[in-house]
Amino acid sequence: MVTRSVRTSVHVVRHGEVDNPGRVLYGRLPGYHLSPRGHEMARIAADYLAPHDITHLVSSPLERAQETIAPLAAHLELTPHLDERVIEAGNSFEGSTIGSRPQQLAHPRYWRRLINPLQPSWGEPYAEIVQRMAAAIRDARTAAYGHEAVIVSHQLPIWTIRQAAEGHRLAHDPRRRQCSLASVTTFVFADDDLDALEYAEPAARLLTGEGVAGA
């Protein structure tokens, strides 16, 4: 007799657009909230995910992530768990406009931060991001075993754990990330093993050219 594996999905959602007229690389700074379009993205993502068999919700503690998960939480009548492990990546350029004006990196005062872009030397090492994100996804899978979970996180952590899951190098060109605003990267497990990885952009019609500031 063949025993069927237990299927569990963990949907990792990037937050919606942030109100950031100054184009600041806000990173983990507090006080950055969703823009009106970002709130619409959150509602669209909620509509996309609501029909799924979701039993567990997790959010980064940053405001933009909590605001993104709020419509889905209200619809499902579930309380999101705040998890520091899915927070934005640490970045020494936080608070600057380097993301939208990278030409500033030509100034010598920034050179010491760019010694090792493969780590990267300007922020939280990719390997550490993988470790914390993998642990958070594993715990969400356990909590929703046989059902589905949703985690709202940020672009770099999501892309880094996806790169690791697919066996790719962690160092990458940020312009090549497939992780748009309010996108859904889904890790599908058979029992405890990763069986498939899926990607969707439910709010694609609202994407009008994303900048690299923030994330």
Side-chain angles (χ1 to χ4, degrees):
M1 179 178 177
V2 178
T3 303
R4 295 183 61 186
S5 59
V6 176
R7 309 286 290 182
T8 308
S9 294
V10 180
H11 307 282
V12 187
V13 180
R14 185 184 171 194
H15 62 79
E17 181 186 79
V18 173
D19 185 11
N20 182 23
R23 305 284 289 165
V24 172
L25 200 161
Y26 41 75
R28 297 178 177 178
L29 295 174
Y32 284 88
H33 298 267
L34 295 184
S35 67
R37 183 163 59 177
H39 282 287
E40 186 177 357
M41 289 178 174
R43 290 191 291 271
I44 291 171
D47 289 343
Y48 172 80
L49 291 164
H52 291 257
D53 181 24
I54 296 166
T55 61
H56 185 69
L57 299 180
V58 177
S59 175
S60 159
L62 296 175
E63 294 99 329
R64 57 192 184 271
Q66 293 192 59
E67 291 167 0
T68 298
I69 207 168
L72 181 63
H75 180 85
L76 299 178
E77 298 183 342
L78 293 173
T79 300
H81 300 265
L82 300 186
D83 192 338
E84 291 278 352
R85 296 175 299 181
V86 301
I87 200 169
E88 177 62 282
N91 192 316
S92 67
F93 291 114
E94 184 177 274
S96 74
T97 56
I98 289 292
S100 58
R101 296 171 56 201
Q103 64 271 21
Q104 296 175 75
L105 293 174
H107 195 287
R109 71 172 177 270
Y110 294 125
W111 291 353
R112 65 181 178 81
R113 306 190 204 181
L114 306 175
I115 295 172
N116 182 7
L118 301 181
Q119 186 183 33
S121 51
W122 60 81
E124 182 181 9
Y126 295 129
E128 293 181 12
I129 297 173
V130 169
Q131 185 176 34
R132 62 178 172 88
M133 288 293 291
I137 290 172
R138 183 171 59 248
D139 286 352
R141 182 197 70 212
T142 299
Y145 197 67
H147 303 278
E148 303 179 42
V150 171
I151 298 174
V152 176
S153 185
H154 308 266
Q155 187 189 61
L156 180 53
I158 297 170
W159 182 247
T160 303
I161 188 61
R162 175 176 170 178
Q163 290 285 91
E166 294 183 327
H168 300 313
R169 294 179 59 194
L170 301 183
H172 61 278
D173 182 344
R175 295 169 297 181
R176 296 183 178 274
R177 293 174 189 162
Q178 187 184 42
C179 188
S180 66
L181 292 166
S183 61
V184 182
T185 302
T186 300
F187 297 80
V188 182
F189 295 90
D191 294 330
D192 296 333
D193 299 320
L194 182 64
D195 185 60
L197 197 149
E198 302 167 354
Y199 178 77
E201 295 182 349
R205 65 179 177 82
L206 298 181
L207 301 175
T208 58
E210 301 177 69
V212 295

